[in-house]
Amino acid sequence: MFRTALRNVLAHKARLLMTALAVVLGVAFATGSLVFSQTRSDAAAEQASAGYDRIAVNVGVDAVPDGGAPTGLDERLASRLARVPGVAHAANRVDGSAAVADRTGRLLGDGDSHRGSNYAPADRHGTEGTDGTDPAYRFTAGHGPTHDDEIALDASTAARGGYRVGDRVRVGTGQAAATYRLSGVFRSDGHRLTDGGTLTLFTTRTAQRLFATPGHVQSIELAAESGISAPELAERVEKLLPKGAGAVTGATLGRIQANLASSDQDTMGQILLGFSLVAMFVAAFLISNTFTMLIGRRTRELALLRLLGASGRQVRRILLAESVLVGSVASALGLLIGTGVAAALNRLLGTASSPTGPLVLSPATLLGTMLLGTATTVVAAWLPARRAMSIAPVTALTGSDTPTPATARSPRTAVGAALTGIGVLVVVYGAVGAGPDARTVIGLGTLLAVVGVLGLIPLLARPFVAVLRPLLLRISPVQGVLATRNTTRDPRRTGATAAALTVALALASGLSVLGASASHYLERATTHDFTADYLVKPAVDSARLTAANTKAAAGTPGATVSGLNQSTGYVLGGSPAVLTGVDPTAVGRLMRYELVGGSLDALTRGRIAVADYKAKEAGWHVGQSLPVRRGGKSGRVTVGAIYRADPQSNLLPSITAADSLVARYDESPHTHVILVATDRTSGGASPATYSALTHALGDDPALAVLDRSAVEDEYSGDIGDQLDIFYALLTMAALIAGLGVTNTLALSVLERQKEIGTLRAVGLARAQVTRMIRWEALIVGAFGATLGTLLGIFLGWALGRTLQDTVSGYTLVLPWGRLAAGIALAMTIALLASLWPARKASRVAITTATSAA
C-alpha cells in the first residue's frame, strides 16, 4: 500500500502541489512564529539579566519603620560593607530619570525608559573612589564624568543624537534642565540600559542632588572575592544592614529580570502562534477540498483496485498514506522556510530597541510543527478517504471518472444549521448577559457559529449566486450565465473554496470593527476634549509640572495658557471629590465643554462646573449650594454649570473650578497637563511657535510638548500599529485561501475538459473561456468575503458589548471603508488565483469534446 500511495503521489504531483504549498505556508508560519518568539524571548531574558553575574550581592532599601517614603542608604555604609570578609569591592548606586535632548531640542530614545545614574569607579581599597573604573560600564570613547558639569552617554543615545566627546548636551531630570559637557561614551549591561531607552551617567554628587538626598544612595553593589559564594556573602552582609534594608543575590535579581522580560515577549509569541493556527485551519479546507476532487477524478482507478481485491479499508489506507507523504514532505519544507524567515526577521528587527540573539531551535518546536502540518493534512483528508470506501468495484466498468456532484442538502447542512443557531444564541447571551465570563462565552459561541456557518455554506451558495445572476447577465450575458451554472453545479465544492475566505474575512472584519470602535472612543477621550494647539506633559517619570511651568508657557507670544491642576482629598456634598483648577478666562478656548445647563462663565464668579455623570451620581443640579471640606478647611460652593463628559477621558475633569477657588483649600495642587492655544495672527501652530514654546519652558527635554496629532498618536497610535500587524498576519490566511481558489478551479478545469471542448466546438472563443473561469473565481471570492464580513461584524459587535460596562462611552463604529476594502482584496486574490486555471482552460482543444471518456 505504501508503494501504491507513493506511485499515486508521484503520478498526481501537479494536482497535489497547491495542497502541499498550503501546508508549507501554514507550517512555515507556525515555525517562524515559534522560533522567532523563542529567540526574542531568550534574547530579551539574556539582555535583561546581563551583568548580574558580576554582582554577588545587591543591598537596597525594602521599607522604613514608620511606613513612609524610604530616604535611601547612608553612602558610608559601602565603606563598612567593603571591609566584610569576602567582599572584593562595593559600589554605591543612585538612579533616577534623565531625558536627553537631540541638537534640535527633541527627546531622544525610542522606549519609555530614560534613566540616569552615577558613575562609581572603585579605588584600590575596594570602595568608590576616583582612581579606578566602574566595572558596570565599558567606555568606547572618553571616560566617566569626574566633574559635576560632565556626563557620559550610552553609545546608542550618543549616535542618535550625533554627539561626540566634548559636545554640550541638554539634559532634563524633573528639576530645571541643564547643559553638560560629554566626557565619554560607553556600553553597558542590559539591566542598566533598557530596550530603546537612554542612560546618562553623572558624578555621584550630582546624581545624589538630582535623584536622592545628599549623603544617601539607593543601592550598593557588592562583588565577591574568589571562592566566596553569593548566598554566603549575603548572610555576612545582612548582619551589618540597618533596619529596612535587605540583601539579595545578583543571581536572584537576574532571574527576576529575565522572567519579566520573557513574559513581555511571550505575549506576542502567543498572538503569532494563534494566527498560525488560523492559517492551518484555513489550509485544512484547501486540503480537504483537494482530496475530495482528486478522489472524484480517480473514481475508476480506485474502483479498479476494489475489483482486483482491495477492500474499502485498504483503499482508505492508501489515500491516508498519500496524505501522510504529502503532509510530512510539505511540513519538512515549511520547517526549513519558517526557520529562514525567523532568521531574517531576527536580523532585520534586531535594533537597539529590540534585542536579538542566536536562533533557538528547540526539539519541541521541530517536532510540534512537523506533527501539526502532517496531522492537519491527514485529518483534512479523512472524510474524503472515508467516502472512497463506498466506491463500488463495478464503477471500474463505467465510462466516466467523475461522480455525480454533491448537493447542498445533507445531514451536514442540518448539523450546520443547528450549530449556527446555537452559536448565535450563545454569542448574543455572552454579549448582553454573561457577566464577567462574557468573553469566554462569546469565544465558545463563535467557535460553534463559525463551524456551523461553514457547514451551511453549500446551502447558501445558490441564493447568493441567484442574487448576483441579474447583474452578471447585464455585464456578461454568455460567460456570466455559464459561470453561475458552474458555481452552483457543485455547491459543496464552491462552499469549501469560499470557506477559507470566509474565515480570513471574519477575523479581519471583526478586528476592523473593534479597532475602529476603540479608535473612535480614544479620540473622544483625548483630542475630542480639547481645542488647544499644544499639550505639555512630563516626558519622564521624575518630571513634575508646576505653576512655574504654566507661567513660563504663558510667555510664548500670542499664547493662551491654562494648567489642569488636580487637587485631591475633598469631601463635596458628602461625597469624595477631586477638583481640577483652571484659568477661568482661558479654559473655554482650550477645552471643549458641551454644556447641559448653566454657563461656563460661572467659573469666574467662584462657582464650579460638574461633569454630567458626576452630577447624576451625586444628585446635583445647577444652582445647588454644596458644603466642601478638605483637611481642616471648609466652606460652600455653588454648581454653576453641568457639561457632558466621558468618565474615561484623559483630559476633561469630573469637577472644574477656578485656580483661585482651589487655592483656598490646596496651596500646591498637582499640575496634570498644560494646555496652550496660539493666536493665529502670531503664526498659530507652527514650527516657530513650537520652538518658542519649548524655549519658554526652558528647553527641558523632560517636558514633552505635543501637538494635536502627537496627542492622538500618544493615546491611540498603539491600536493602529497592532491592527496593522494583525492584518499583515491575516494576509497569510488570505493567501492560503487564494491557493484554495486556484486549486479548485484548476481541478474543476481538469474535470470539465470535455465540457469546455464542447463549448469551444459550438463557438466559444478562448478569451470567452478565460472570462468564464475568472467570473467563477469572482463569484466565489465575493461569496466568501461577504459571508465572512457579515460574520465579523456580528462578532465585533458582541465583543464590543463586553467593553461597554467597563469603558464608558464605547460605541459600535462600522468602518465601511475598511470593510469594503477587505471584500475588494478578497475578490482581487480570487481573481489573481484564477489566472493560471483560466489560461489552462483556454488551451483545451476542441477535439476533446469527441474524445473517449
Side-chain angles (χ1 to χ4, degrees):
M1 286 186 293
F2 179 78
R3 289 197 301 269
T4 303
L6 180 60
R7 185 178 67 250
N8 287 332
V9 169
L10 295 176
H12 303 100
K13 52 183 177 292
R15 302 180 192 179
L16 290 170
L17 178 61
M18 294 297 177
T19 299
L21 187 55
V23 178
V24 167
L25 289 175
V27 172
F29 200 166
T31 302
S33 301
L34 290 171
V35 173
F36 178 68
S37 61
Q38 186 61 51
T39 298
R40 301 302 289 276
S41 178
D42 286 9
E46 182 178 353
Q47 184 185 67
S49 61
Y52 282 106
D53 55 349
R54 177 183 49 76
I55 304 171
V57 176
N58 186 82
V59 177
V61 177
D62 292 333
V64 291
D66 60 0
T71 58
L73 301 168
D74 190 321
E75 64 179 348
R76 292 171 295 184
L77 178 62
S79 298
R80 295 198 299 270
L81 295 180
R83 293 192 292 270
V84 172
V87 174
H89 64 81
N92 288 320
R93 297 297 178 195
V94 186
D95 298 317
S97 298
V100 181
D102 63 11
R103 294 183 183 275
T104 65
R106 294 184 181 272
L107 182 67
L108 283 172
D110 299 330
D112 296 328
S113 177
H114 304 277
R115 295 186 58 185
S117 188
N118 66 311
Y119 180 67
D123 65 14
R124 61 180 179 272
H125 301 296
T127 56
E128 182 187 344
T130 59
D131 58 352
T133 59
D134 191 331
Y137 308 105
R138 303 175 300 280
F139 279 81
T140 59
H143 55 79
T146 56
H147 298 87
D148 291 347
D149 63 345
E150 292 182 335
I151 60 167
L153 292 177
D154 66 274
S156 177
T157 301
R160 281 177 288 182
Y163 290 124
R164 296 183 178 181
V165 173
D167 288 346
R168 309 293 290 179
V169 183
R170 190 75 173 171
V171 180
T173 58
Q175 301 182 21
T179 302
Y180 300 84
R181 191 184 75 85
L182 183 63
S183 67
V185 177
F186 62 87
R187 297 188 184 279
S188 183
D189 303 326
H191 77 277
R192 292 196 171 278
L193 182 59
T194 56
D195 298 342
T198 62
L199 177 57
T200 307
L201 297 183
F202 303 86
T203 61
T204 298
R205 185 168 59 182
T206 300
Q208 287 174 328
R209 175 175 57 83
L210 295 173
F211 309 134
T213 55
H216 290 83
V217 298
Q218 293 160 339
S219 64
I220 302 172
E221 295 177 356
L222 305 178
E225 294 180 345
S226 178
I228 302 298
S229 68
E232 179 183 358
L233 188 61
E235 290 182 6
R236 297 179 183 178
V237 167
E238 283 181 342
K239 299 175 183 179
L240 299 178
L241 298 183
K243 198 170 185 179
V248 181
T249 64
T252 300
L253 290 176
R255 285 193 298 270
I256 293 173
Q257 294 300 323
N259 290 335
L260 291 174
S262 296
S263 63
D264 291 340
Q265 296 290 331
D266 287 345
T267 301
M268 180 55 71
Q270 292 169 1
I271 293 174
L272 291 172
L273 182 58
F275 278 95
S276 301
L277 296 178
V278 170
M280 292 303 299
F281 182 64
V282 173
F285 289 98
L286 169 57
I287 297 165
S288 180
N289 202 25
T290 301
F291 272 91
T292 298
M293 298 183 71
L294 284 177
I295 289 172
R297 288 287 301 166
R298 295 163 56 191
T299 301
R300 290 183 64 191
E301 172 192 330
L302 298 176
L304 183 59
L305 289 175
R306 295 291 310 279
L307 193 62
L308 294 176
S311 65
R313 291 185 177 180
Q314 287 177 312
V315 171
R316 182 183 65 187
R317 285 198 290 268
I318 289 173
L319 294 174
L320 291 179
E322 291 180 25
S323 68
V324 171
L325 284 171
V326 172
S328 58
V329 172
S331 297
L333 185 58
L335 185 62
L336 293 175
I337 294 176
T339 303
V341 170
L345 289 175
N346 195 42
R347 180 179 294 274
L348 289 174
L349 300 180
T351 63
S353 61
S354 189
T356 185
L359 287 183
V360 179
L361 294 172
S362 66
T365 298
L366 300 177
L367 182 61
T369 50
M370 281 292 296
L371 289 177
L372 176 65
T374 305
T376 301
T377 308
V378 173
V379 170
W382 178 261
L383 286 179
R386 280 181 60 92
R387 296 192 195 105
M389 294 174 59
S390 62
I391 297 176
V394 71
T395 308
L397 305 177
T398 64
S400 176
D401 281 345
T402 305
T404 302
T407 64
R409 297 174 181 173
S410 66
R412 166 177 145 172
T413 302
V415 173
L419 289 177
T420 301
I422 295 173
V424 169
L425 291 176
V426 171
V427 170
V428 172
Y429 169 71
V432 299
D437 298 325
R439 294 175 192 174
T440 302
V441 173
I442 290 175
L444 176 61
T446 299
L447 179 61
L448 294 174
V450 169
V451 173
V453 167
L454 296 180
L456 281 177
I457 280 182
L459 183 64
L460 299 174
R462 288 185 185 277
F464 181 84
V465 174
V467 172
L468 290 182
R469 185 182 176 89
L471 178 63
L472 293 177
L473 287 177
R474 289 189 177 186
I475 298 176
S476 182
V478 176
Q479 295 91 328
V481 171
L482 292 173
T484 55
R485 288 178 179 175
N486 292 332
T487 303
T488 57
R489 178 186 303 174
D490 192 341
R492 281 190 185 175
R493 182 177 65 201
T494 301
T497 306
L501 287 170
T502 299
V503 174
L505 263 294
L507 290 171
S509 56
L511 286 173
S512 294
V513 170
L514 283 176
S517 301
S519 296
H520 177 263
Y521 162 74
L522 287 175
E523 189 274 332
R524 293 277 305 179
T526 54
T527 55
H528 176 270
D529 292 335
F530 78 103
T531 55
D533 295 312
Y534 297 101
L535 180 149
V536 183
K537 57 173 289 189
V540 297
D541 295 337
S542 61
R544 294 291 183 271
L545 293 172
T546 64
N549 296 129
T550 304
K551 184 177 181 180
T556 306
T560 301
V561 178
S562 176
L564 299 185
N565 307 304
Q566 292 181 343
S567 179
T568 60
Y570 289 85
V571 177
L572 181 63
S575 302
V578 175
L579 268 62
T580 300
V582 298
D583 182 343
T585 62
V587 71
R589 184 182 174 191
L590 301 170
M591 300 280 287
R592 180 178 282 108
Y593 284 89
E594 299 177 4
L595 295 177
V596 175
S599 170
L600 204 60
D601 292 337
L603 294 175
T604 61
R605 300 193 298 273
R607 299 188 175 190
I608 61 173
V610 182
D612 54 354
Y613 65 87
K614 181 68 175 178
K616 182 178 180 181
E617 174 188 326
W620 300 338
H621 58 81
V622 174
Q624 183 175 358
S625 178
L626 303 172
V628 59
R629 183 178 73 255
R630 183 181 187 273
K633 300 178 180 179
S634 61
R636 299 191 71 85
V637 295
T638 302
V639 178
I642 296 177
Y643 53 89
R644 292 188 181 90
D646 189 332
Q648 303 297 321
S649 174
N650 291 283
L651 293 176
L652 208 58
S654 60
I655 302 175
T656 307
D659 285 329
S660 58
L661 176 61
V662 172
R664 297 178 193 172
Y665 304 92
D666 187 358
E667 296 179 356
S668 56
H670 165 61
T671 302
H672 175 47
V673 296
I674 299 172
L675 299 177
V676 181
T678 55
D679 187 352
R680 298 297 182 268
T681 60
S682 301
S686 65
T689 303
Y690 175 90
S691 178
L693 178 57
T694 55
H695 183 68
L697 291 168
D699 294 317
D700 189 348
L703 302 179
V705 178
L706 308 176
D707 58 19
R708 294 184 62 84
S709 61
V711 171
E712 187 173 348
D713 292 340
E714 177 88 3
Y715 291 101
S716 61
D718 289 344
I719 289 182
D721 294 341
Q722 291 174 7
L723 286 175
D724 290 340
I725 293 173
F726 294 154
Y727 291 144
L729 295 175
L730 284 171
T731 301
M732 178 67 74
L735 289 176
I736 295 176
L739 291 175
V741 177
T742 301
N743 212 22
T744 301
L745 290 176
L747 292 173
S748 176
V749 168
L750 288 175
E751 290 180 357
R752 294 155 47 197
Q753 286 199 23
K754 188 172 182 178
E755 171 195 328
I756 294 173
T758 302
L759 292 173
R760 294 275 289 112
V762 297
L764 203 66
R766 293 183 185 273
Q768 290 177 308
V769 173
T770 298
R771 286 196 292 271
M772 177 185 70
I773 301 298
R774 290 176 181 174
W775 276 118
E776 291 181 30
L778 286 173
I779 291 172
V780 171
F783 178 43
T786 302
L787 195 59
T789 300
L790 293 175
L791 186 60
I793 291 174
F794 174 64
L795 298 178
W797 164 81
L799 289 172
R801 284 279 305 182
T802 66
L803 298 174
Q804 290 181 345
D805 292 336
T806 56
V807 183
S808 176
Y810 179 92
T811 56
L812 179 69
V813 175
L814 297 181
W816 296 111
R818 287 187 181 181
L819 296 176
I823 295 176
L825 177 62
M827 294 180 66
T828 302
I829 291 174
L831 182 62
L832 294 175
S834 70
L835 296 180
W836 179 64
R839 183 182 180 188
K840 191 174 184 66
S842 67
R843 294 186 176 184
V844 174
I846 296 177
T847 55
T848 307
T850 58
S851 62

